[in-house]
Amino acid sequence: MRSLLWGRGVSALGDGLWFTIWALYLTRIAGLPPVAVGAGLAVASAVGMVAAVPLGAFADRAGARPVLVALTLVRAVAMAGYLAVDGVGTFLAVTIPFTALATGGTAVRTALITGLVSGSAERVRVLAQQRVAQHVGYAAGAGLGALVLTADARWAYTLAIAGNAVSFLVLAGATLLVPAPARTPKTTTRVVLQDRPYLYVTAETAVLSLCWAMLSAGLPLWLAGRTHLPLGLGGIVVVVSSVGIALFQVPFARFARTATQAARTAVVSGAVLAASCVLLATTAGGAGAGAIAVVGLAAVLHVVGELGYVAANWGLSVRLMREDAKGAYQGVTEAATATVQMVGPGVFTLAVGGLGGPGWLLIALVFLAAVAPVPALTRRAIRTREPAVR
């Protein structure tokens, strides 16, 4: 796990670097129209959602480790391919494999970890450690990305892209150092797609992943269009979130040691995120220290809700999955999350950007409605597991 942890941290550094610079690189250096970039990313995301479950099932049959290494190497080549992008055609040729394989890769990585670690509580703890390494890497990569944007020269972007490609090679090498879990040759996607109790739990909890679009889309739109607060406050909130995740994601894993406990944590998470939305709604037209304090409190509630959601999502998906189809089950979980992430920015643009304060209240109701049935759905799913889980 230590090898995989370091590999994930290095890869996340490259991801944070790319996340910071990709928009300007593609539009200013590669000269692509913004509309084409947005459409290409949407297509790639859609392909990723469709491919996640088959990739997970394939990992069950062929082995999670070799499949994850292969996916990582393909993404390394695709990242290097961005240096050759000179039009929409080449952009799609590298963006579709790079972006689409990210969702399936996450599912396969989770399957690999759960195949190497026994016990749901220990699995959730190790997944939490991986997420901490990921966010530390993101933060460091974003700092390097800021330097690249400051230089704003082709050579700087070229070094950044090459560095990210190398980070994927490091992750592939680190993955080769871990043992290979047993394969399950008879696994098919039909196994998980027919498991309705699992699908219902996954669909409801995936709605909580709107919390990520809440920071990336909802809050900036709100600060710019409905308050008199400094726009930089949004960046401070993101820093608070990153620090909170790095410090508390592992401790929060203890709230998802069983499926029943994870379901309760999901309910608390939804309630806390809803409270954060309500607080933000009260800052309409706000300015000054008082409004900033309210946004700060909303940010704290948001990070608590996010920590709870992530822990609950792991606890439910890991505890309720079939041991002989880990990849396929994790593929469904990642596909559901990716679907919400794809529509999330649009949801907040329409709700917060269009409706203002009432839009935040609407999102709060969505959070509450999503988590309300989770305990009952989880109990139903538990009754269908063999042997029974608790």
Side-chain angles (χ1 to χ4, degrees), residues 203-266:
E204 294 293 337
T205 53
V207 175
L208 294 179
S209 67
L210 282 173
C211 66
W212 294 324
M214 184 174 166
L215 287 192
S216 64
L219 185 59
L221 287 172
W222 179 252
L223 294 175
R226 303 285 180 167
T227 76
H228 302 289
L229 297 172
L231 298 181
L233 185 59
I236 295 174
V237 169
V238 172
V239 171
V240 170
S241 177
S242 297
V243 172
I245 290 166
L247 292 177
F248 299 112
Q249 189 65 77
V250 173
F252 261 71
R254 70 184 64 177
F255 300 123
R257 289 174 175 170
T258 67
T260 301
Q261 189 182 38
R264 291 197 296 265
T265 300

Side-chain angles (χ1 to χ4, degrees), residues 196-198 200-201 320 374-385:
R196 291 186 179 180
Y198 186 90
Y200 292 151
V201 171
L320 297 178
V374 169
L377 292 173
T378 300
R379 288 193 295 269
R380 179 188 175 191
I382 289 174
R383 288 195 296 268
T384 65
R385 307 298 101 168

Side-chain angles (χ1 to χ4, degrees), residues 126-279:
V126 172
L127 288 170
Q129 291 175 337
Q130 293 280 322
R131 189 171 193 239
V132 169
Q134 175 184 351
H135 275 265
V136 171
Y138 277 161
L144 292 176
L147 296 178
V148 173
L149 294 179
T150 300
D152 195 25
R154 178 177 287 274
W155 65 265
Y157 290 105
T158 299
L159 286 177
I161 292 172
N164 193 14
V166 170
S167 77
F168 282 107
L169 297 180
V170 172
L171 178 58
T175 304
L176 285 173
L177 296 177
V178 305
R183 304 176 185 180
T184 52
K186 296 182 180 180
T187 297
T188 65
T189 58
R190 184 180 301 177
V191 171
V192 63
L193 295 180
Q194 291 179 341
D195 190 347
R196 291 186 179 180
Y198 186 90
L199 296 178
Y200 292 151
V201 171
T202 299
E204 294 293 337
T205 53
V207 175
L208 294 179
S209 67
L210 282 173
C211 66
W212 294 324
M214 184 174 166
L215 287 192
S216 64
L219 185 59
L221 287 172
W222 179 252
L223 294 175
R226 303 285 180 167
T227 76
H228 302 289
L229 297 172
L231 298 181
L233 185 59
I236 295 174
V237 169
V238 172
V239 171
V240 170
S241 177
S242 297
V243 172
I245 290 166
L247 292 177
F248 299 112
Q249 189 65 77
V250 173
F252 261 71
R254 70 184 64 177
F255 300 123
R257 289 174 175 170
T258 67
T260 301
Q261 189 182 38
R264 291 197 296 265
T265 300
V267 172
V268 173
S269 171
V272 172
L273 288 171
S276 178
C277 290
V278 172
L279 282 178

Side-chain angles (χ1 to χ4, degrees), residues 292-347:
I292 290 176
V294 173
V295 172
L297 179 57
V300 172
L301 291 178
H302 178 278
V303 73
V304 172
E306 180 181 348
L307 290 166
Y309 154 64
V310 172
N313 186 51
W314 287 330
L316 292 169
S317 67
V318 168
R319 191 65 173 173
L320 297 178
M321 71 182 181
R322 279 180 47 167
E323 288 294 319
D324 60 346
K326 299 181 183 71
Y329 273 75
Q330 294 306 316
V332 163
T333 300
E334 292 302 322
T337 303
T339 300
V340 174
Q341 289 301 290
M342 188 173 179
V343 303
V347 169

Side-chain angles (χ1 to χ4, degrees), residues 18 21-28 30-45 82 85 87-88 91-92 95-96 99:
W18 175 243
I21 69 170
W22 68 265
L24 288 182
Y25 172 77
L26 293 174
T27 56
R28 293 184 57 179
L32 297 175
V35 174
V37 172
L41 291 173
V43 170
S45 297
Y82 276 110
V85 168
V88 175
F91 167 66
L92 291 175
T95 293
I96 289 178
T99 304

